[in-house]
Amino acid sequence: MNTNLISFTQRLVATPSTSGNESKVMAFIGHWAKQRGLQVFPQHKRGFTNIACVAGEGERIVILTTHLDTVEPDPKLWKKTKPYSPRIIGDKLYGLGASDAKGVAASMLWAALSFQESPEAKKGRIIVVLVSDEERTGGGSELVVPFLKQHPSLRIIPKSTAVIVGEPTNLTEISLGSRGNVFISVTIHGKSVHSSRPKDGKNAAQKAASIISQIPDFIKILNGQHPDPILHGTDLTVTSLSSNLGIVGDSIVATKLNTLPGEASLTLDCRLSQPYFQNSFRLFWKEFNKFMANQQEAGFKLAWKKIHPEVAGHAIKQLNPLVQLLTQAISRETGRKPSYRVAMGANDASFWAEAGFQVINEYGPGNSKIIHQPDEWINLSQLEKGTRVYLSFSKKWSNKA
């Protein structure tokens, strides 16, 4: 067991870095990397802090990237330890971010240290890119990709550069893609009247219910028109619904029990397959606008808009040479062939893919089933195995003609 790697991971876990508060852990890594002979390229822009640590001097480049921000913890719910007090129990290291994704970052940096001492360092480079704010906006990756791509000292050619986005996949799975994402706010304006004469009004709550009831059929139409063999399908989920509601004490209640509601609103979380997030989401908006136009009805005014900028998805085929090279590295270092899946949530892969890089959507040590939960942990053995996989892949890539 590599005790130095474990101690380093513990130090990362012990340094608080919730989204927007990553500067301290970034500064620690920058100092640590310089002490060990890695080149360090920090970026401070628009309140985001990112860092790139470079090992080697050759032209063949592997970018290993993950995030150092974590979700906000609730210490009262932690039983095994406290969020920033890393604790080893058996083969598990407990602490906030142990799996998502400080254990991943530690394995990547350790791979870079080993690569620097290898013969392949003359042929290639590992660039470990650690970003901020992945858990909220993806703003760190959005800024760091053009920063690195345009940096004159790095001489990066995207089309011949391999990128692995580090997220916990138990070292046994490779994610081939993640769906695009857009949140939509829908507002319905009707006419409010006393509920004893409903025919004189236009019930916005009932109109919202009517729209919601038609969403499953709309999803079937989307997936039927444009199937996606990699990302499988598009989903639209209602995540909030409000009409004639207020807070009284500790309860959410109808503000006017005898009034037909004149306004209602709902939020849709739209997870989109490739046909619908490609070309700036053009096809999706065309279909969604058509769906909403069909909901128009006399006496109602409907309005809809995106809440945040859309986030594109990403997909790579299983037979892609990049995927096959990683598959071989995993088989060599873990003794088992990985399976393939699609990431359920969004990640930073799309920022790299849109800039022309070859990208593995997700791969890394850690367990995705226990992230964002109290008593998050990572298997100690996975830290070392993850390092070996990243290193083996990078060496093979450097030797590739």
Side-chain angles (χ1 to χ4, degrees), residues 91 145 155 163 182 310 400:
D91 185 38
V145 171
R155 312 180 315 279
V163 178
V182 60
E310 305 98 327
K400 204 173 185 306

Side-chain angles (χ1 to χ4, degrees), residues 145-164:
V145 171
F147 168 72
L148 298 176
K149 186 178 176 182
Q150 298 161 14
H151 202 294
S153 299
L154 292 174
R155 312 180 315 279
I156 295 175
I157 302 173
K159 66 180 181 180
S160 60
T161 299
V163 178
I164 299 178

Side-chain angles (χ1 to χ4, degrees), residues 59-71:
E59 297 301 316
R60 298 284 295 175
I61 299 173
V62 172
I63 293 177
L64 304 175
T65 181
T66 192
H67 63 96
L68 287 178
D69 63 314
T70 67
V71 296

Side-chain angles (χ1 to χ4, degrees), residues 72-87:
E72 288 279 355
D74 185 348
K76 299 189 297 296
L77 300 178
W78 286 64
K79 306 299 181 185
K80 300 284 188 181
T81 186
K82 293 303 179 185
Y84 305 116
S85 300
R87 182 185 178 192

Side-chain angles (χ1 to χ4, degrees), residues 87-326:
R87 182 185 178 192
I88 296 173
I89 303 176
D91 185 38
K92 295 177 180 177
L93 169 61
Y94 289 84
L96 181 64
S99 270
D100 188 29
K102 292 180 175 180
V104 178
S107 289
M108 289 177 166
L109 287 164
W110 233 256
L113 290 183
S114 297
F115 184 84
Q116 186 165 249
E117 303 301 321
S118 71
E120 285 80 7
K122 297 291 184 182
K123 302 175 183 179
R125 281 175 282 167
I126 288 181
I127 304 178
V128 179
V129 181
L130 304 173
V131 303
S132 59
D133 216 57
E134 187 270 352
E135 298 288 4
R136 294 191 305 188
T137 67
S141 285
E142 185 178 13
L143 290 173
V144 83
V145 171
F147 168 72
L148 298 176
K149 186 178 176 182
Q150 298 161 14
H151 202 294
S153 299
L154 292 174
R155 312 180 315 279
I156 295 175
I157 302 173
K159 66 180 181 180
S160 60
T161 299
V163 178
I164 299 178
V165 176
E167 290 286 349
T169 67
N170 249 333
L171 296 180
T172 59
E173 298 175 314
I174 298 173
S175 170
L176 299 177
S178 55
R179 293 181 294 181
N181 181 218
V182 60
F183 292 96
I184 300 175
S185 171
V186 178
T187 305
I188 301 109
H189 295 276
K191 181 182 177 182
S192 179
V193 298
H194 194 278
S195 55
S196 64
R197 43 189 183 85
K199 292 182 180 180
D200 294 338
K202 289 292 181 179
N203 192 322
Q206 287 186 351
K207 183 62 179 176
S210 173
I211 293 172
I212 291 170
S213 71
Q214 296 176 63
I215 288 175
D217 287 337
F218 178 52
I219 294 171
K220 289 179 182 177
I221 291 171
L222 293 178
N223 290 325
Q225 288 178 342
H226 299 281
D228 185 338
I230 298 178
L231 301 183
H232 306 309
T234 285
D235 286 309
L236 280 70
T237 304
V238 178
T239 55
S240 75
L241 176 62
S242 175
S243 181
N244 191 28
L245 297 176
I247 299 176
V248 177
D250 295 329
S251 302
I252 299 175
V253 298
T255 54
K256 297 179 180 179
L257 296 175
N258 61 352
T259 302
L260 185 148
E263 292 188 4
S265 63
L266 57 99
T267 303
L268 295 173
D269 179 352
C270 309
R271 303 286 169 159
L272 309 177
S273 58
Q274 290 181 86
Y276 295 108
F277 68 69
Q278 291 171 339
N279 300 315
S280 302
F281 290 70
R282 189 176 298 122
L283 180 59
F284 171 72
W285 283 117
K286 176 184 175 181
E287 296 296 334
F288 187 78
N289 290 338
K290 186 191 303 182
F291 170 75
M292 290 302 298
N294 290 335
Q295 310 306 314
Q296 299 285 6
E297 182 182 344
F300 290 101
K301 181 181 178 181
L302 308 182
W304 57 96
K305 63 179 181 179
K306 61 185 177 184
I307 299 174
H308 305 295
E310 305 98 327
V311 177
H314 165 257
I316 187 170
K317 294 181 179 179
Q318 182 177 328
L319 295 179
N320 183 287
L322 195 67
V323 176
Q324 293 306 302
L325 196 67
L326 180 57

